[in-house]
Amino acid sequence: MLRSTLLKLSQSKGFANWVTTNPRTRNMSHRFVAGEGVDEALAAARACNDQGMMASLDYLGENVSTTADAQHSRDAYLEVFEKIAAQRLNANVSCKLTALGLDLSADFCEGLLLSIVERAAATDNFLRVDMEGSEYTQRTIDLVKRVRSQSPAIGTVIQAYLYRSEKDIQDLLTFGCRIRLCKGAYKESPEVAFEKKGDVDGNYVRLVKMLLPSGFYHGIATHDPRMIGATIRCAAENKISKEDFEFQMLYGVRTDLQRRLVKDGYRVRVYIPYGKDWFPYFMRRLAERPANVGFFLRNFFR
Ligand SMILES: Cc1cc2nc3c(=O)[nH]c(=O)nc-3n(C[C@H](O)[C@H](O)[C@H](O)COP(=O)(O)OP(=O)(O)OC[C@H]3O[C@@H](n4cnc5c(N)ncnc54)[C@H](O)[C@@H]3O)c2cc1C
């Protein structure tokens, strides 16, 4: 119920405006967002590297409504690849296709995406296309496949809560596509997605068992110790080395677990969001964990 309400509110422009202009709530965004500028994100990536972790930088923005805004997002992605290279950071980049105009035109979006992937390839780097709500799943997969046929410096994300994900993984693996597996963060109907946590978790483990032995390098994105344990067991059973996959976690979430995995010799990448358009991302993080709402209210009324 609370999750549903928060996810619904994440699409409210009025609430977004109130939260992002209020100095107290703006300050709270730092719990999950590195900052509004690229330099803060680069500093957070440097701090991760210093602790033995990799990073993925995400310039926040989604569902842009003009081609000029989409081009502005493209420019931000091109800039961050240059800065990562100049500062010799161990970091790649994550992006959302609705920030690149997928709602406006698939062809236009593909052109921007290709230019970013070419910059990724030119700087010996990699672009991960995040997965958004299920109305975008097929279009995202189609675009990623088309761009990947021109450059391998692109991968995408599969969400374990969708019934279709097993088939999508089979499809993407035939293209040698690198996949990040996550549980899924959007509000979905029971027609397309598992509702119960136990079912999502069961599917997550099934999909890990497809990904790890596939021979390609994938990202296992979760903070759930049971999913992490299942991944470690699957790797051991299939004699898959710690070098052949990575765990991924969100900036500001379970930093204790991030450090423990590094200590145990696993590869860990931290997803670092930055930018002014942090509201929907922030709301999804609140929705994931009811205790985060308590944190929000306590800080607000302090
Ligand atoms: C690197 C990365 C990239 C992602 N990319 C996408 C994407 O492209 N598309 C998409 O739909 N989703 C994405 N997600 C979000 C994902 O789908 C889940 O919503 C989120 O990771 C919570 O699921 P969980 O696996 O951590 O398990 P859960 O069962 O939700 O949580 C397990 C435990 O992790 C901790 N935890 C989880 N979330 C939080 C939080 N917000 N704050 C504090 N503690 C928390 C809690 O201790 C919780 O008990 C991504 C997640 C990660 C880590």
Side-chain angles (χ1 to χ4, degrees), residues 105-274:
S105 148
D107 287 344
F108 170 74
C109 180
E110 182 176 340
L112 299 190
L113 182 63
L114 182 59
S115 63
I116 300 170
V117 173
E118 282 169 347
R119 180 69 56 89
T123 54
D124 202 14
N125 210 327
F126 179 78
L127 180 75
R128 174 84 58 187
V129 176
D130 287 346
M131 192 57 82
E132 302 178 66
S134 60
E135 69 271 35
Y136 298 108
T137 310
Q138 192 57 51
R139 282 180 281 168
T140 301
I141 289 174
D142 290 344
L143 274 193
V144 167
K145 277 168 33 180
R146 276 211 290 280
V147 170
R148 200 182 180 286
S149 67
Q150 297 170 70
S151 168
I154 183 172
T156 190
V157 179
I158 290 293
Q159 298 151 322
Y161 65 12
L162 293 185
Y163 305 136
R164 57 177 290 166
S165 289
E166 182 172 339
K167 232 167 76 315
D168 288 336
I169 288 183
Q170 277 162 357
D171 180 23
L172 287 164
L173 288 179
T174 62
F175 288 80
C177 188
R178 285 170 55 181
I179 293 169
R180 170 200 297 152
L181 179 65
C182 68
K183 289 191 186 178
Y186 295 81
K187 183 165 162 38
E188 300 292 355
S189 82
E191 270 107 71
V192 297
F194 296 105
E195 283 191 289
K196 292 194 189 123
K197 178 174 160 57
D199 293 335
V200 177
D201 291 355
N203 201 36
Y204 195 101
V205 174
R206 259 192 303 282
L207 300 180
V208 164
K209 289 178 179 169
M210 285 175 75
L211 290 175
L212 286 197
S214 69
F216 303 110
Y217 183 91
H218 301 297
I220 305 300
T222 182
H223 318 89
D224 186 337
R226 288 183 315 116
M227 300 303 106
I228 291 169
T231 304
I232 290 173
R233 280 193 298 282
C234 173
E237 280 159 17
N238 291 282
K239 300 195 171 27
I240 292 158
S241 125
K242 289 175 178 173
E243 303 298 310
D244 291 336
F245 67 98
E246 65 187 38
F247 287 110
Q248 299 184 353
M249 295 193 203
L250 300 176
Y251 178 80
V253 178
R254 293 300 312 258
T255 45
D256 57 328
L257 199 49
Q258 296 171 12
R259 279 197 290 267
R260 195 178 333 141
L261 285 168
V262 171
K263 197 164 152 274
D264 291 347
Y266 289 99
R267 294 167 68 88
V268 176
R269 187 180 301 276
V270 179
Y271 182 101
I272 301 176
Y274 68 99

